[in-house]
Amino acid sequence: MPDVRPGPGADARREALRVLRATDEGSLALVYDGLGDSDPAVRREAVRLVARSSPAPGLLLTLERALTDDKELARRSAAMDALSAMGKPALPLLARLAADSRAGVRRLAVD
């Protein structure tokens, strides 16, 4: 699984997400990586980051990319937690994903 940088340890990756703001492409890449991190505490911090961020189009696209990642179940699960934490602004994305051609993506969107 990918690990958020900087720093080799989970504590450093979690701290990087704790102080981050999901505002530009670089930070969105870290959000994506954090949602799929091998350490559950890092994934939880990535979810908290999404919850405290504005639902900008780039962030929503990052979450959509994470939700449609067929290889990383932990990332998809964390992305669903992040969308739940986001609340109402996530509804248009969830509606679009509910019509996805992949059954697994549709299932996540309606759960």
Side-chain angles (χ1 to χ4, degrees):
M1 288 183 166
D3 291 330
V4 174
R5 300 293 182 234
D11 289 340
R13 296 190 309 273
R14 193 176 63 249
E15 181 63 17
L17 288 167
R18 192 185 68 72
V19 299
L20 190 67
R21 298 291 172 252
T23 56
D24 59 35
E25 254 183 70
S27 62
L28 293 176
L30 291 176
V31 170
Y32 181 81
D33 288 346
L35 290 169
D37 196 274
S38 59
D39 186 284
V42 175
R43 292 193 302 269
R44 283 191 301 273
E45 196 60 51
V47 169
R48 286 186 199 105
L49 170 59
V50 170
R52 70 175 181 266
S53 298
S54 298
L59 181 57
L60 291 170
L61 287 173
T62 298
L63 292 173
E64 181 175 7
R65 184 175 149 223
L67 279 168
T68 57
D69 184 338
D70 293 330
K71 296 180 179 117
E72 295 285 343
L73 180 59
R75 177 177 285 125
R76 287 181 13 212
S77 179
M80 273 311 304
D81 291 344
L83 282 172
S84 294
M86 187 178 278
K88 196 172 185 176
L91 292 178
L93 173 58
L94 290 171
R96 188 167 69 246
L97 292 172
D100 194 273
S101 62
R102 293 163 288 189
V105 173
R106 288 192 311 270
R107 197 173 310 114
L108 279 172
V110 298
D111 284 347

